[in-house]
Structures are given as C-alpha cells and as structure tokens.
Amino acid sequence: MHLACVVGTRPEAIKLFPVIQAARAAGHRCDILSTGQHREMLDQALEGFALRATLDLGLMRPGQGLSALAAGVMAGLDPWLVAERPDWLLVQGDTTSAMAGALAGFHARIPVAHVEGGLRSHDLDAPFPEEANRAVIGRLARLHLAPTETARQNLLREGVPGGAIRVTGNTGVDALLAVASEAPDPPVTLDPARRLVLVTAHRRESQAAGLQRLARAMARLASRPDVQMVVPLHRNPLAAKPLAEALADCRSVTLLPPQNYRAFVALLCRAALVITDSGGVQEEAATLGVPVLVAREETDRPEAMDAGTTLLVGTGEAGLLAAAHRVLDAPPKPPRPSLAFGDGRDAPRILAALESARPVEARLPAMAVRP
Ligand code: UD1
Ligand code: UDP
C-alpha cells in the first residue's frame, strides 16, 4: 500500500508519527508531504521523530493569511499527487494544511482518509478556522478515522455512512505513551517545594483580548508562593506577545520557546495543573490524569470533561483564577489516568482500517484531472 501524509504543523507531526512508523514497519510506502505551515515548530517535531519529508512546500510566511496558505497547499501538492497517485492521502485534524490537502486530494482523485475525524464544537467561529476545516475534510474524506464514539456520532448526524467510519482512538496517545515511557528530562530545573503549573495558549479566537485576560490571571496565579509556572510560547507572535509581556517580570515564571516533544512531555508528566487552549495538550493531560483547565469558551473534546480531571473555564480572568486556586488548594491526589482518548494502540488500528478499506480507490469514479 502507498500512503502519503500531509503534515504542516506540530500537532500533525506528533499525531501522524505513530501511523507513519506503523506503516513503514509493515512494509508500506509512506511519504511525508510537508507544507511547512509551521516552519520551525514542524521541523522541531519531525526531527524528534527522525522523519524527513518527501516533499517540502516551504509555505510559511510571517503574517500570512489563511487563503494564501490554503492556495499554496493546493497548488503545491497537486503535481505530486497527480504524478505519484498514492492509494491513500492521509490528513490529520483540522489545520488549514489538512483542509487544503484534502481538497487537493479530492481534485486529483486520490481517496482521502481523515485521521481524528468527527470532532465538532458545533460553533463555526470557535475554534476558528478549525471547526470549518474539519467539517470540510469530513465532506471530502472517503474514510473517517474517528478517535472516539462521540466523534463517530457527530459524523453519522452529518450523514456520513457508518461503513466509512472506524473508531480507532487518538494516535496522540500512542505518541504520548511511547515518549513518556522513556522518562525524558524536563528542560528547566523544577523546584521540588513548589507545584508546577504548565501553561500553553495559541487559539486565534482568543488572540488579543482573551489571551490578555489569560495572561493577567496567570500573573496573579504565579504570585502564589507554592507555584512554579512554565510557559512554552507558541511561535505565532500574536499568541506569544500577550503572555510574554504580562509574565516577563514574574519571578516564578519561566517563559520558554516552543519545546521539542520529549521536553514538553517531561513537563506534562510533572505538572500539578495544566492551563491550556490546545486540543492536543488537553487530550494528553487527561490521558496522564493531570488536572486541566481549558481556557476556551467551547469544547470539541467532551470526553476530556467526562474523564473528570478537565474543566472548561473560558477566558475570563476571575473564572480562570478561581478555578486554578480551587485545584491547587485541594489536597493533592494521585493522578487519575484516562483511556477516554485512546489506549496507545491506535495507529495499528488505523493501518488495519486503511488496509481493509483499500478497494475504495477502485470505486472512485474516474475523471480527467487535467483538461
Ligand atoms: C495553526 C493551526 C491550528 C493548530 C495550530 C497548532 C491553522 C489555521 N491553524 O495555528 O489549527 O491548532 O497551528 O499549533 O491551520 N509561526 C512561526 N514559526 C512556526 C509557526 C508559526 O514563525 O513554526 C508564525 C508565523 O508568523 C505564522 C504565524 O505564526 O504566519 C501563524 O501560524 P499559522 O500556522 O497560520 O496559525 P496558528 O495560529 O499557529
Ligand atoms: N507541544 C510540544 N511543545 C510545546 C508545546 C506543545 O511538543 O512547547 C505538543 C503537545 O504535547 C501536543 C501538541 O504539541 O502534542 C499540541 O500542539 P498545539 O497546542 O500547538 O496544537 P493543537 O493541539 O491545539 O492543534
């Protein structure tokens, strides 16, 4: 079987890595088509997994608009797809690289498989543009690899035929458990007398006002004498600036550049509390049983809330701060790991689903892809 994976951002690299590894171990050809949407963060993630791109479109431009990025992904992937004709084009999640990659696959008549299909917040504006991206991919994909039953139900409600959906678990759990089992070292010295609060934030709908409120709440939380706060910043300047400005003078806060995956997992494993608006980080924290406050107004991952360690708190300063104090003031409990997102054996299930669904290509009506 010949697979090609569109990889544009850090979470796509992390979550597709277990699939690429499983595919190659089984003797399949598996190409990596890098859009370069996240130049530095993507390279950092790929390097950690010793992966090299077959094709690199190098599309990142500072301040680039979403339409320019999407157009570049489609125009860049098309010649390769038309020439190489993989059996499956895999896209993961909800980024603009994934959405434009799926559309390029559709145009080139390559069957698209959507890894992490079916997540929905049911609010087109949050997360923006990810809710629209994953709905578009859901319309184009021939095979939907849903991480959870909730995701499968979302797809069924939208009219996706049940036979085109497989519930496989989330491959992020495979990556997390593999790296956590190697007990990596944290990138900063941690004070054993204080409790680690790990913070990440980058959502577009929170940029400006939401991130400023989050940053003010974090500055106040960091004044607790029992807290050591570590904040790996996103490379997007609109995400990093409000946090960097508000927290620069706080003595118990360490601001870091984006961390490689091993270093970040080392921090996650030691955190008493995670505060994040990231999708992947809330899955990882829930899997490890670390308490998480989700700084978003909506959720596309209700399973995390059901796991009992995750709370959706919004981006209001007072609400965030009160929730964080509540977690830190409660008597410390042993972590309560959750299997809500996967069991660490999710990539082999995806591979089996791709293998068994292979005849799908034969059923794609042939059409001229060039005039
Ligand atoms: C993107 C994805 C989002 C995903 C997130 C993961 C879209 C629209 N958004 O959001 O779905 O959850 O990544 O982190 O696909 N930059 C760098 N170096 C990097 C990465 C970014 O300098 O390695 C800067 C550039 O100025 C770039 C800007 O950040 O133009 C924005 O990056 P972009 O990928 O457009 O959006 P994100 O908000 O990061
Ligand atoms: N991550 C990382 N280094 C960091 C911060 C996060 O490797 O400094 C990892 C994290 O473990 C998770 C993924 O990046 O697997 C999440 O990426 P992000 O929050 O950028 O995107 P989202 O999941 O919200 O799409």
Side-chain angles (χ1 to χ4, degrees):
M1 190 164 55
H2 178 191
L3 308 177
C5 298
V6 178
V7 179
T9 66
R10 171 174 69 189
E12 288 166 298
I14 292 168
K15 289 179 168 177
L16 282 173
F17 165 69
V19 181
I20 295 166
Q21 202 184 33
R24 289 183 178 168
H28 300 299
R29 175 175 168 193
C30 187
D31 288 306
I32 298 174
L33 311 181
S34 165
T35 69
Q37 176 177 344
H38 278 179
R39 182 71 287 156
E40 296 91 344
M41 296 201 308
L42 174 64
D43 291 348
Q44 188 179 45
L46 290 177
E47 199 180 285
F49 297 126
L51 292 177
R52 283 193 38 223
T54 312
L55 174 76
D56 189 346
L57 301 180
L59 286 171
M60 200 202 85
R61 307 279 180 278
Q64 174 165 242
L66 296 171
S67 296
L69 174 62
V73 171
M74 285 196 283
L77 290 182
D78 180 75
W80 191 94
L81 292 173
V82 170
E84 299 290 333
R85 304 208 60 77
D87 296 316
W88 285 105
L89 181 67
L90 271 64
V91 301
Q92 193 282 330
D94 51 23
T95 67
T96 297
S97 287
M99 183 275 292
L103 197 46
F106 176 72
H107 289 155
R109 312 304 295 153
I110 310 292
V112 171
H114 189 195
V115 178
E116 199 180 77
L119 268 63
R120 297 290 184 272
S121 68
H122 307 289
D123 176 351
L124 206 50
D125 298 315
F128 171 85
E130 291 87 351
E131 178 73 0
N133 283 345
R134 55 203 177 196
V136 170
I137 301 169
R139 194 66 190 84
L140 299 172
R142 309 285 164 162
L143 181 63
H144 306 258
L145 302 155
T148 63
E149 179 57 27
T150 311
R152 189 176 85 92
Q153 291 298 333
N154 287 337
L155 290 166
L156 289 174
R157 267 196 298 277
E158 291 176 10
V160 175
I165 310 171
R166 306 278 194 286
V167 178
T168 57
N170 193 317
T171 54
V173 177
D174 300 30
L176 172 71
L177 298 184
V179 169
S181 71
E182 294 165 12
D185 289 326
V188 288
T189 307
L190 298 175
D191 178 350
R194 289 189 291 162
R195 304 173 70 201
L196 173 62
V197 177
L198 180 62
V199 181
T200 78
H202 70 84
R203 296 250 82 85
R204 281 175 185 244
E205 64 276 12
S206 301
Q207 281 167 15
L211 285 181
Q212 280 163 12
R213 291 193 296 271
L214 171 72
R216 283 197 298 271
M218 294 308 98
R220 289 169 65 189
L221 187 65
S223 67
R224 278 178 68 124
D226 61 343
V227 160
Q228 176 174 12
M229 189 176 288
V230 177
V231 187
L233 295 167
H234 199 277
R235 285 265 179 233
N236 187 342
L238 294 175
K241 205 163 160 246
L243 291 170
E245 282 177 356
L247 298 171
D249 297 328
C250 300
R251 279 189 49 231
S252 55
V253 177
T254 310
L255 295 172
L256 296 174
Q259 293 299 293
N260 68 49
Y261 188 55
R262 289 174 60 79
F264 188 76
V265 169
L267 290 168
L268 260 180
C269 292
R270 289 164 177 80
L273 172 63
V274 173
I275 300 174
T276 190
D277 63 11
S278 161
V281 175
Q282 52 177 302
E283 294 161 356
E284 291 165 346
T287 300
L288 295 171
V290 178
V292 199
L293 301 179
V294 179
R296 289 193 190 187
E297 306 302 334
E298 41 54 50
T299 185
D300 41 24
R301 290 166 172 85
E303 304 86 352
M305 315 298 146
D306 300 342
T309 46
T310 308
L311 262 186
L312 185 68
V313 291
T315 57
E317 184 178 341
L320 263 163
L321 194 59
H325 283 312
R326 263 199 308 279
V327 174
L328 293 172
D329 289 339
K333 284 191 242 148
R336 288 170 39 205
S338 160
L339 294 177
F341 291 105
D343 59 7
R345 293 191 295 274
D346 306 310
R349 280 195 281 271
I350 285 183
L351 204 58
L354 290 166
E355 280 166 343
S356 66
R358 233 164 124 189
V360 79
E361 192 195 14
R363 296 199 304 269
L364 275 194
M367 278 178 222
V369 295
R370 290 280 185 273

